[in-house]
Each structure stands twice: as structure tokens, then as C-alpha cells.
Amino acid sequence: MTRSGIIIAALTLAVGVAGQAVIGNLVSGLFLVADPNFNVGDWIAWSGREGTVEAISFRVARIRTPSNEIVSVPNADLTANAVTRPYSRNRYRADVDVAVDYAADVDEAAAILREVARSHPGILDAPAPSVRFLEFGDATIRLRAQFWIVDPTRETVAGVRLDYAGRVQERFEEAEIAMRPAE
């Protein structure tokens, strides 16, 4: 009986250790399925990766990456690590950094950055777009434009940022303000 008890205890320990990850993923899956703030279709970033949640099961979440791969992520990884949902609210703050020559009129550059944001149809009026000084570089002055985008998705944010940058570049060229690569 003593040997049988030891064997049963050893088997129980082995099964318990082996099943720990599976049970952890199942419990994590229950939390993810029940979490109203974690849904199929959400864009998430976790542990240096990002993508769109395609499916959530009790063991894994399936996430489509920007390169169109489907990754099966153990639920325990998502509940144990920080998960960011940058587009989860009805608006998103975008930051656009711009570097201009020291010879440029910085006040005029800041005014153009604000004006382009205020006139852009994809950018909210409130909170008002803002521009602030970031730093002096070796050959440039860096400014940051901040504005809010309504009903954000990864695609709409990228589209608004690209269109904004193009409009800023046109206006800077008209004002003869030289933009430089950020240092």
C-alpha cells in the first residue's frame, strides 16, 4: 500500500504539473471570454506583437498580424502581460513629430501645424489640436502636433496621419519652411 500510495502521489504530481499550463490557459480563457473590454475585432498590442483578434477560445486567442499571419496566443500570455488596445475608445490622440531648420520661423511652423489640423475633416475640433516644442536637435527644432481622431481604426488613423503629413508638407513648401528628417 505504501508503494501504491507513492506511485499514485507521483502520478498525481506529474499530471498536476503537466496540466498546470492547460488549466491556466482555460482559466485565462474564461476571463477573456467574459471580459467585455476584450472582443473579436479589437486591435491589440502585447509583448512586442500586434494584430486583430480573430477568435477567442478557452485555450488560445487567434490574432491576425499586420503581415496577415494568424497567431495562436495562449490565453495565459494575454492575461499575464500588458495588452494595449490603442483604438478601443471613440477617439484616438495622434502625435505627429516634425523637425524644421533652425532658420525656419518656428511660430509660423507651429501655426501651420495647428491650422492644417483644424481644417482637416478627419480631425476633431475638441479637444483642440495643439502644437508644442519637443527639443533642439543638432540641426533642427522638433515640434509635436497632437490631435484627436473620431471612431479610430488602425486604417483610419494611418490614413488621417498620412493625409495630414501631406497637407503640412504642401503648406511648409508654400511658406518656404524646410522640413528635415527627425534626428
Side-chain angles (χ1 to χ4, degrees), residues 135-146:
E135 68 180 356
F136 292 109
D138 289 338
T140 62
I141 296 173
R142 289 188 53 220
L143 304 171
R144 174 170 288 161
Q146 294 181 324

Side-chain angles (χ1 to χ4, degrees), residues 2 4 19 25 48 59 108 139 160 183:
T2 307
S4 298
N25 283 324
R59 192 179 67 76
E108 183 179 9
V160 168
E183 299 171 345

Side-chain angles (χ1 to χ4, degrees), residues 2 37-38 65 90 141 151 183:
T2 307
N37 293 316
F38 190 88
T65 66
N90 61 352
I141 296 173
D151 295 327
E183 299 171 345

Side-chain angles (χ1 to χ4, degrees), residues 96 98 112-113 116 120 147 158-174 179:
V96 176
V98 176
I112 289 171
L113 291 168
V116 169
H120 195 287
F147 49 82
V160 168
R161 288 173 60 96
L162 180 63
D163 188 52
Y164 175 79
R167 291 176 187 213
V168 165
Q169 184 176 2
E170 287 175 12
R171 292 290 308 280
F172 275 17
E173 287 172 1
E174 290 170 6
M179 264 194 331

Side-chain angles (χ1 to χ4, degrees), residues 73-158:
V73 180
N75 291 332
D77 289 355
L78 295 175
T79 57
N81 296 301
V83 174
T84 304
R85 292 179 41 233
Y87 313 114
S88 65
R89 304 282 183 227
N90 61 352
R91 60 185 184 174
Y92 175 83
R93 189 190 82 201
D95 297 341
V96 176
D97 293 354
V98 176
V100 296
D101 277 344
Y102 275 113
D105 182 340
V106 177
D107 291 333
E108 183 179 9
I112 289 171
L113 291 168
R114 270 190 297 278
E115 184 181 318
V116 169
R118 286 184 184 132
S119 67
H120 195 287
I123 295 174
L124 292 171
D125 294 330
S130 64
V131 176
R132 64 186 176 97
F133 166 79
L134 278 183
E135 68 180 356
F136 292 109
D138 289 338
T140 62
I141 296 173
R142 289 188 53 220
L143 304 171
R144 174 170 288 161
Q146 294 181 324
F147 49 82
W148 294 86
I149 299 169
V150 70
D151 295 327
T153 64
R154 186 168 188 260
E155 292 79 20
T156 57
V157 169

